[in-house]
Amino acid sequence: MAKQPSKVDGVFRTRSLGIAASGVQDQYSDGKAAQVWGLYMGGKKRTDDYKEKIVSLLKSYDVHTLLDAACGTGVDSVMLLEAGFNVKSVDASDKMLKYAYKLRWQRHKSDPIYEDWEIGEGDWLDLENCEDSINHPEGGYDAVLCIGNSFAHLPDFAGDNSLHKKAIFNFHKMLKPGGVLMIDHRNYDYIIDHGGLPNSCTKLYYQGDRIHKIRTSVLKVDNIAKMITLDYEIDITGIPYGEDQAMAQKEDGTIIPVSEFRLSYYPHRLKNFTAMLKAQFGEEAEHQVLSDFNSDPPADYIASFYIHVIKKTE
């Protein structure tokens, strides 16, 4: 008998628009999140703070070639290209990639590094067969990146983490011996236990001053968290909008237009996620977990994101 879809399956499919190549939903397919992603992420301050952390970390592992496996609009790929890395960029969302292609076109005439920047649709469940525009290096990459809480978009309909394990297997396969996977997730332990985001939630990847509100929902089945949904409201003041645009009130009483979008995530607990990585890379694999890129945070520090860096055996 065919397996009946679970409650989580149904809710995730309701909230996740579009179908990626593998049959996994593209939650960015309506274009709403992609249009305001730059406002959510923030500008130069975000880039400077974040760039210093990630570039120094990659250089500590002697990384030269890397696959940005969740490039989105291409902002991080551009940052890494300009830092001197040889970057290839893939994403499952064509709506997000549209902005990456635009970035490349805008910059390729003024800077030759963009001429060789390869961008294409890529499915974590079949990474070897990305678009023809992506030519994987013989022998593998020095690093594969899947950051910005991207991996949590991959659901677990079967309830056995089989899709997650397959994706991690493919990340591992893309690496050369001695290469590293850098992959992250939000502090879902805190979100599940407290029902909301840590207070530091906008201080790493997402530093935009246009974030009006983020609402958190935790879906539990048999008292086990199965999905986290975040409803975003982004202030779009100064950007043209229609008569039916949603409006919101700030604390000072100002009425502002807001862009609303919803994204759903599988809530990876730190212990379980670490176990999945170790199962693929080996129990003895060199592995570090950083709290918002901090290797030795204060004892009372509550991370917004956990960044895993795990090395493929040489």
Side-chain angles (χ1 to χ4, degrees):
M1 179 181 294
K3 183 179 182 292
Q4 295 300 310
S6 68
K7 179 180 179 183
V8 176
D9 187 1
V11 173
F12 204 108
R13 289 179 185 276
T14 299
R15 295 180 176 180
S16 308
L17 304 175
I19 303 294
S22 65
V24 175
Q25 291 75 8
D26 172 11
Q27 297 189 61
Y28 300 88
S29 63
D30 62 359
K32 289 183 178 180
Q35 289 174 350
V36 298
W37 206 247
L39 299 178
Y40 177 41
M41 295 179 75
K44 188 174 186 301
K45 182 181 185 301
R46 180 261 184 193
T47 302
D48 290 346
D49 292 347
Y50 172 46
K51 180 178 180 179
E52 181 180 352
K53 292 180 173 69
I54 193 169
V55 168
S56 62
L57 182 59
L58 289 169
K59 286 185 176 180
S60 73
Y61 285 94
D62 196 28
V63 169
H64 300 281
T65 61
L66 65 88
L67 176 67
D68 185 352
C71 73
T73 60
V75 173
D76 284 355
S77 291
V78 165
M79 178 185 69
L80 294 169
L81 279 165
E82 293 181 346
F85 296 99
N86 183 340
V87 182
K88 299 179 190 291
S89 307
V90 299
D91 201 281
S93 172
D94 61 344
K95 293 296 187 295
M96 298 292 267
L97 283 175
K98 179 176 73 173
Y99 292 88
Y101 289 128
K102 184 178 180 181
L103 266 176
R104 183 175 63 182
W105 175 253
Q106 290 173 335
R107 303 189 183 203
H108 82 283
K109 290 184 179 180
S110 59
D111 194 329
I113 64 172
Y114 294 100
E115 290 282 359
D116 298 325
W117 180 20
E118 296 179 9
I119 307 171
E121 287 192 48
D123 177 0
W124 300 334
L125 304 181
D126 190 22
L127 270 179
E128 285 187 304
N129 296 307
C130 295
E131 277 191 303
D132 291 342
S133 57
I134 301 295
N135 298 293
H136 297 303
E138 187 175 347
Y141 294 91
D142 295 325
V144 171
L145 273 63
C146 185
I147 52 179
N149 195 45
S150 301
F151 193 74
H153 282 314
L154 190 60
D156 182 33
F157 294 146
D160 58 1
N161 296 113
S162 55
L163 294 182
H164 303 143
K165 293 172 183 176
K166 183 175 182 180
I168 291 170
F169 171 84
N170 287 334
F171 292 152
H172 180 268
K173 195 172 183 179
M174 287 287 103
L175 291 168
K176 65 172 58 173
V180 295
L181 170 65
M182 185 185 297
I183 188 168
D184 73 355
H185 53 84
R186 284 189 183 273
N187 184 351
Y188 288 113
D189 292 86
Y190 182 95
I191 296 171
I192 293 167
D193 296 341
H194 296 84
L197 300 177
N199 289 333
S200 58
C201 68
T202 61
K203 295 180 182 178
L204 181 60
Y205 300 120
Y206 308 118
Q207 297 193 25
D209 58 5
R210 297 295 196 97
I211 301 169
H212 175 63
K213 187 177 294 183
I214 303 176
R215 296 185 179 90
T216 308
S217 303
V218 181
L219 174 65
K220 293 186 177 181
V221 177
D222 295 331
N223 207 35
I224 298 174
K226 295 292 187 179
M227 186 173 70
I228 304 294
T229 297
L230 300 182
D231 288 290
Y232 300 81
E233 292 183 7
I234 306 298
D235 179 358
I236 59 170
T237 300
I239 298 174
Y241 57 87
E243 294 182 0
D244 60 348
Q245 181 64 49
M247 309 296 285
Q249 183 172 327
K250 299 175 69 173
E251 291 184 0
D252 64 4
T254 305
I255 303 300
I256 57 172
V258 293
S259 175
E260 300 174 316
F261 59 92
R262 168 179 289 174
L263 298 176
S264 299
Y265 306 92
Y266 180 83
H268 293 284
R269 285 198 178 267
L270 178 59
K271 181 179 179 180
N272 296 341
F273 196 81
T274 297
M276 280 199 298
L277 292 176
K278 290 284 192 176
Q280 177 58 58
F281 282 77
E283 288 296 327
E284 303 304 318
E286 180 182 329
H287 173 234
Q288 63 172 323
V289 180
L290 307 174
S291 298
D292 298 333
F293 281 102
N294 298 311
S295 59
D296 189 23
D300 60 349
Y301 184 82
I302 300 174
S304 290
F305 293 85
Y306 290 118
I307 298 95
H308 300 255
V309 185
I310 189 163
K311 190 172 185 179
K312 184 174 182 176
T313 303
E314 297 191 53

